[in-house]
Amino acid sequence: MMNTSPSTNPEIDALLRDAAQGDVQAIRCLLEKHRTRLRRMIAARLDPRLAPRLDPSDVVQETLADAARKLPDYLRDRPVPFYPWLYRLAADRLARTHRHHVASTVRAIGREEFIDRPSDDGATLTRLVDRLAANDTTPGHRMDRKERRLLLARAIERMSEADRAILALRYLDQLAFDEIAAVLEIGLGAAKMRHLRAVERLRGLLEEVGVEPSTSP
């Protein structure tokens, strides 16, 4: 379904209108405006084992090149708000980049653990735990940071993939609920409900190991 409603950012809407008219400067501004946010998202999800050979900025540049090529089709239909569209392109590009570099790393150094699981899952989980542990203030006076992080990691590992995914979208990628809805292709109410249920499940799992519920996430 076409997304005919304007975004909440009048500046982006103006750039989109100008870009649709072929304004080259508007297209450049539109893409560059989101570079920092895309880099933060990619850096958070990039497998750290690839850090010596791959910079997040390189993946961002490839993503923006993809966006520039596909922008005319997007501007014709505008099926989702602009940043969720860019986010999807970045996620696709990152997945392809992982597959390429991980496969070449396996061939080069023979590290079998690269094959054991999707290359970005471990990095995403680790950074999600770090983000939530940093935000969790309630148990802070009763257990040290390392213990709190360990219990949080064990709780998140017990959650479903869908629950972990929506927590990562919200707290790791820092997407607003309307952006999460667009990325997942669900309604805004459904996105909020999925998030609420995931948070409630996480709190329940933490209670099982003696961690009191907190006001965060």
Side-chain angles (χ1 to χ4, degrees), residues 132-149 151-152 203 206-207 209-217:
L132 294 178
N135 291 343
D136 189 8
T137 58
T138 299
H141 298 295
R142 288 180 291 282
M143 60 180 68
D144 63 32
R145 182 178 299 273
K146 183 180 293 186
E147 181 183 1
R148 186 168 67 252
R149 187 189 179 284
L151 293 174
L152 182 57
R203 287 174 174 164
L206 289 172
E207 285 179 347
V209 293
V211 179
E212 295 179 9
S214 71
T215 56
S216 60

Side-chain angles (χ1 to χ4, degrees), residues 11-31 68 70-78 82:
E11 182 182 1
I12 296 299
D13 285 329
L15 288 172
L16 287 169
R17 287 193 300 269
D18 292 343
Q21 298 299 319
D23 187 326
V24 176
Q25 183 62 26
I27 294 172
R28 184 178 297 111
C29 290
L30 191 62
L31 297 176
K70 297 177 180 181
L71 190 59
D73 289 337
Y74 170 80
L75 291 172
R76 184 170 55 251
D77 297 331
R78 290 181 64 175
F82 187 66

